[in-house]
Amino acid sequence: MTSTPTEPVAVQPRLKPRRLVDLAIGLILVGIMLFPVYWMINASLQPSGNTLNADFFPTNPSFAGYEKAINDQGRNLVTSLIVSAGVVVLSLAIAAPAAYALAQFRYRWANAALLVILITQMIPGIVIANALYAAYNDLGLLNTLIGLILADSTMAVPFAILILRAFMINIQPAIIEAARVDGAGHLRAFFSIVLPVSKNSLITAGLFAFLFAWSDFLFALTLTTTGGIRPVTLGIYQYLGTQVSNWSATMATAVLSSIPAIVLLVVAQRYIAAGAMGGAVK
Amino acid sequence: MTSATIVPSSRRHKRREELAKALFLAPAAIFIALYFGYPIVKNVVMSFQEYNTRTFFTGEAPWVALDNYATVVKSQLFWPAMRNTALFTLGSIVGQFIIGMGLALFFQRRFPLSGFLRAMLLLPWLLPLIVGSASWRSILDQDGGVLNTVLRAFGLDGVPWLTSPDVALIAVILVNIWVGVPFNVTLLYGGLQEIPTELYEAGSLDGATGWKAFWHITVPNLRPVISVVLVLGVVYTLKVLDIILGLTDGGPANATQTIAVRSYQTSFIDFDFGIGAAYSNILIVISLVFAAIYLRTNRKAVDE
């Protein structure tokens, strides 16, 4: 994408005043959009207490909020981490073979299957939670890691199938056939050819599976009833309660819960953008 | 491209082939049946039953036909919740789209750091919604919140953002707009990149620049992306729970009750699962109407 190639001025020195004006506007716009993130960090560093501190900068940063957050919510953060990792593994294990099959095998009902997968993405989570609660209650899956991992995969599985299929449809059947001619079974061809060439799309799908599970609030809220297994999103909700009794601890927990998103944004930005596009229009 | 063309095809072999291929889909099929098929069917059945705490002890859930739906529709909160759902969805979508489109157009320009800044815009979308709620809850606090501090510094009165029934719905819509802007920017920006520059060059020869170019070149070419963005936005917004529970818990004075919040509260606060199921089935029907629109537009977007 070149910028207005008809303008002869394009060959002038790089930093034209107009570009600096644009940069200034861009900084202001992004600054406004990210202000709540800044404010969360700022508030997390204020001395603890139940009143909101109005200082615009943490001039005397206090880490008391973080101390309390880690004491109260450290376990919940670990729970979230385990659940999210579990969702990544489970949803990729379910989605990758299905995506490959839908991309490369011929099924008469492939379109119907894709339609079902698209529709599952539109089903409100509360519908699933409502029915699962009763079933989980009978099966003893309330307040269990595996119960949460399975439920949290409901967002990741359809999404991962669509993303992975969009990629795998472009794999040349010839390279898979070559392996099959050499005597590899479907499974071997899948593991030794398909998965390695799909690495990037697997990373994209995995990152989103992680983010979905890490952000899950609904299943945490409905499928955990005791303090035993409690993801950190629910921990934040309980801090919020009717009255927040400790803002700096609440905000410190919020900051700690933002770390995966921030790390992914910095380290894996191109995968995030690919996922945002792939999930919706493919 | 079936591999039957390569492997010598005895009948038994062919059957094994078919089985092997079916096994690739089996885990996904089982998962979707258990975690989408079962809940949807179960939810429909529950909505015709008196399904409450007693059911968990006695195992009995008497059939009550349409009583739950009657209870829902007659409930004092039903029509306010419908209205709030409509306003919340409409307000969020309009706000997200206009701001998202503005930012997407702005970031078409090339300036230093533009790629980096555009990436940073994604952050609100990647954060857990409850984190966004927590941060906004502190910003919108009536007494100590920074927004009112700023308003007062300009000599204006502080606004009881989350505690006044008149303002709370507007406040949760504003926060939901903030959450949805990144998604809109990303998809719309991607769509803008796909429009060939030649169209604008040809347009400018005909005198179509600025707003004219936007209406006559950008909008028509972006239409498939726009419809997908809008419909997905509606489907996502209908089911929002985190933002509202985190900010207001449906209050004050039920001012921010939506159908999704009602469904959650009747099932998991009042433990009336039958009535909660009726609420969530209403939500499914609304979502599926928009899903149908989505599938139509999506098909067009793919075909084109």
Side-chain angles (χ1 to χ4, degrees), chain A residues 22 33 36 107 130 136 237 280, chain B residues 21 35 109 135 178 249 267:
Chain A
D22 282 348
M33 275 297 287
Y107 298 105
N130 204 38
Y136 269 28
Y237 183 55
Chain B
K21 286 181 181 178
Y35 275 85
R109 303 180 181 201
S135 178
W178 177 76
D249 254 324
S267 284

Side-chain angles (χ1 to χ4, degrees), chain A residues 119-278:
Chain A
I119 289 176
T120 58
Q121 287 199 304
M122 326 251 156
I123 300 298
I126 187 71
V127 172
I128 298 167
N130 204 38
L132 277 190
Y133 181 86
Y136 269 28
N137 188 47
D138 295 343
L139 296 168
L141 281 171
L142 290 178
N143 305 307
T144 62
L145 286 171
I146 188 70
L148 265 185
I149 290 171
L150 281 160
D152 280 351
S153 298
T154 53
M155 276 187 289
V157 165
F159 182 83
I161 293 178
L162 294 177
I163 291 253
L164 294 174
R165 178 182 169 273
F167 179 86
M168 289 175 176
I169 215 159
N170 295 322
I171 299 177
Q172 292 301 318
I175 65 166
I176 300 164
E177 272 166 31
R180 304 258 305 138
V181 169
D182 290 344
H186 276 300
L187 262 186
R188 272 245 333 255
F190 176 69
F191 279 107
S192 57
I193 310 282
V194 177
L195 289 187
V197 301
S198 310
K199 200 181 98 201
N200 282 348
S201 63
L202 286 167
I203 293 174
T204 305
L207 289 180
F208 274 85
F210 190 93
L211 275 183
F212 288 159
W214 182 268
S215 309
D216 165 65
F217 171 70
L218 178 71
F219 293 122
L221 180 65
T222 54
L223 302 178
T224 66
T225 52
T226 64
I229 303 284
R230 173 173 292 167
V232 71
T233 48
L234 197 54
I236 293 176
Y237 183 55
Q238 281 173 337
Y239 265 162
L240 288 177
T242 38
Q243 277 294 313
V244 180
S245 57
N246 189 327
W247 272 110
S248 57
T250 308
M251 290 308 178
T253 311
V255 172
L256 294 173
S257 312
S258 306
I259 290 173
I262 293 169
V263 167
L264 294 182
L265 191 64
V266 174
V267 178
Q269 188 220 319
R270 67 196 175 106
Y271 297 108
I272 302 272
M277 303 298 291

Side-chain angles (χ1 to χ4, degrees), chain B residues 88-168:
Chain B
F88 180 70
T89 307
L90 188 72
S92 299
I93 298 302
V94 170
Q96 290 168 4
F97 182 77
I98 291 175
I99 298 174
M101 180 68 106
L103 286 170
L105 288 170
F106 175 76
F107 277 97
Q108 288 275 85
R109 303 180 181 201
R110 286 289 160 273
F111 55 88
L113 293 181
S114 63
F116 170 75
L117 290 176
R118 196 161 43 82
M120 292 311 288
L121 275 182
L122 281 173
L123 195 53
W125 180 56
L126 299 175
L127 296 179
L129 290 178
I130 197 76
V131 165
S133 304
S135 178
W136 276 101
R137 178 111 166 239
S138 80
I139 292 169
L140 297 175
D141 190 86
Q142 184 175 4
D143 301 319
V146 63
L147 185 54
N148 280 352
T149 308
V150 171
L151 289 179
R152 287 192 192 104
F154 283 100
L156 298 162
D157 287 339
V159 177
W161 295 104
L162 299 173
T163 45
S164 154
D166 301 326
V167 195

